[in-house]
Amino acid sequence: MNKAETVRIAKLGKKELRLVKQGMRYFGMADGQRCSESENADTAWQQLHENAGKSDPKYFGLGEARIRFLKFFPNGFHSDGYAEQERNYKVAAKVKLDEAVPPEMAVAGVGLGEDILGVFRATNLLSPFEKTRLQDLLRGSYADAFVQAVARFALSPDASSLFQMEQILRQYESAKWTVATYLPFLWFPESHMFLKPEVTREFAVRVGHPFSSIYESRLHFPVYESLLDLAEKVELSLKDMSPRDRIDIQSFIWTVGDYQESREGVYL
């Protein structure tokens, strides 16, 4: 019999998740109990999170997530209240960014810091404290390098451009996922995703996605890959609701991740 080999370990709440390879198959274990099995490591790991997550008191799955979203917006993404509350100001910021600094210009551009700063200030997705530190960056000597790095990441996301962003942002105590993902999300909302860590992790726990355990605060590319996987799975589950882009998906995650019974509202 082939010897079992542990290839991945993580925590999901208080549970220890372990991916074990034996022969040509992978087995997902939660506190020693088998929860998944597949010939593909990523599939077994994903199924492990989904199955183990169901025992978490916060878990309710994507079906219930949809129900809770619709308690706020009964007509879904095309509710008038939804557009006013969640979408219009983000679209306006995107238009502002596209007109002032298209990504193809930014990737080799200079002197664009003030325009980019105006786009960061155009929404409430970042805190006032984050915006203040970005002012120092975008009016300083590293402004061009940051704008070029974030444009490269937006055009072709990879670990190298994310690392370059992190090195620059760290000098201004701004190496945060909110800052790193904001501009790519506005430039390309059909493929990129904005990351508000706390509420997104809460959402991932509620639907049993591995992002909740993969997440770390440093700008590490596998975290972003997991975020995109979460966005894709949500997008597919909501296909019949016709989300227009990931502005809608981000709003869905925000609404459900921050869900409280006492905060329910109805926007027709």
Side-chain angles (χ1 to χ4, degrees), residues 2-109:
N2 294 315
K3 184 178 179 181
E5 172 191 4
T6 297
V7 295
R8 197 180 301 177
I9 298 176
K11 284 284 188 180
L12 183 64
K14 295 182 179 180
K15 289 183 179 292
E16 180 189 75
L17 305 185
R18 187 181 296 266
L19 186 66
V20 175
K21 182 180 182 183
Q22 187 169 25
M24 299 300 292
R25 299 192 68 78
Y26 293 88
F27 302 90
M29 315 292 289
D31 287 342
Q33 299 295 314
R34 183 186 297 180
C35 291
S36 66
E37 178 181 350
S38 175
E39 294 180 353
N40 180 274
D42 291 337
T43 299
W45 189 246
Q46 174 77 37
Q47 291 173 349
L48 170 61
H49 274 81
E50 292 174 356
N51 294 333
K54 291 176 182 178
S55 64
D56 190 294
K58 294 180 178 180
Y59 175 87
F60 48 56
L62 283 167
E64 179 65 20
R66 174 201 293 254
I67 291 170
R68 298 189 183 208
F69 179 78
L70 292 173
K71 287 181 178 179
F72 290 91
F73 305 109
N75 294 322
F77 300 119
H78 303 281
S79 302
D80 291 339
Y82 167 78
E84 294 167 6
Q85 294 287 319
E86 292 291 334
R87 183 173 176 87
N88 289 349
Y89 74 97
K90 297 169 190 171
V91 172
K94 172 179 172 49
V95 171
K96 182 181 180 74
L97 178 61
D98 288 342
E99 291 178 348
V101 189
E104 296 80 9
M105 175 196 297
V107 77

Side-chain angles (χ1 to χ4, degrees), residues 67-179:
I67 291 170
R68 298 189 183 208
F69 179 78
L70 292 173
K71 287 181 178 179
F72 290 91
F73 305 109
N75 294 322
F77 300 119
H78 303 281
S79 302
D80 291 339
Y82 167 78
E84 294 167 6
Q85 294 287 319
E86 292 291 334
R87 183 173 176 87
N88 289 349
Y89 74 97
K90 297 169 190 171
V91 172
K94 172 179 172 49
V95 171
K96 182 181 180 74
L97 178 61
D98 288 342
E99 291 178 348
V101 189
E104 296 80 9
M105 175 196 297
V107 77
V110 296
L112 302 172
E114 201 66 36
D115 287 327
I116 292 293
L117 180 59
V119 175
F120 273 112
R121 288 173 169 170
T123 74
N124 61 0
L125 292 176
L126 273 66
S127 71
F129 188 67
E130 289 172 318
K131 293 175 187 178
T132 298
R133 287 186 166 168
L134 282 170
Q135 175 177 298
D136 294 337
L137 165 60
L138 291 168
R139 289 178 175 172
S141 59
Y142 286 93
D144 291 343
F146 169 72
V147 172
Q148 291 166 11
V150 72
R152 284 194 296 273
F153 184 79
L155 290 165
S156 182
D158 61 17
S160 176
S161 52
L162 184 61
F163 177 75
Q164 290 168 357
M165 268 197 285
E166 182 182 34
Q167 296 303 297
I168 296 165
L169 291 170
R170 189 179 292 163
Q171 298 180 61
Y172 295 84
E173 299 181 36
S174 295
K176 300 179 180 296
W177 283 109
T178 47
V179 176

Side-chain angles (χ1 to χ4, degrees), residues 124-127 130 178 194-201 254:
N124 61 0
L125 292 176
L126 273 66
S127 71
E130 289 172 318
T178 47
F194 176 69
L195 175 51
K196 197 81 168 177
E198 185 175 346
V199 73
T200 307
R201 291 183 72 190
W254 172 263

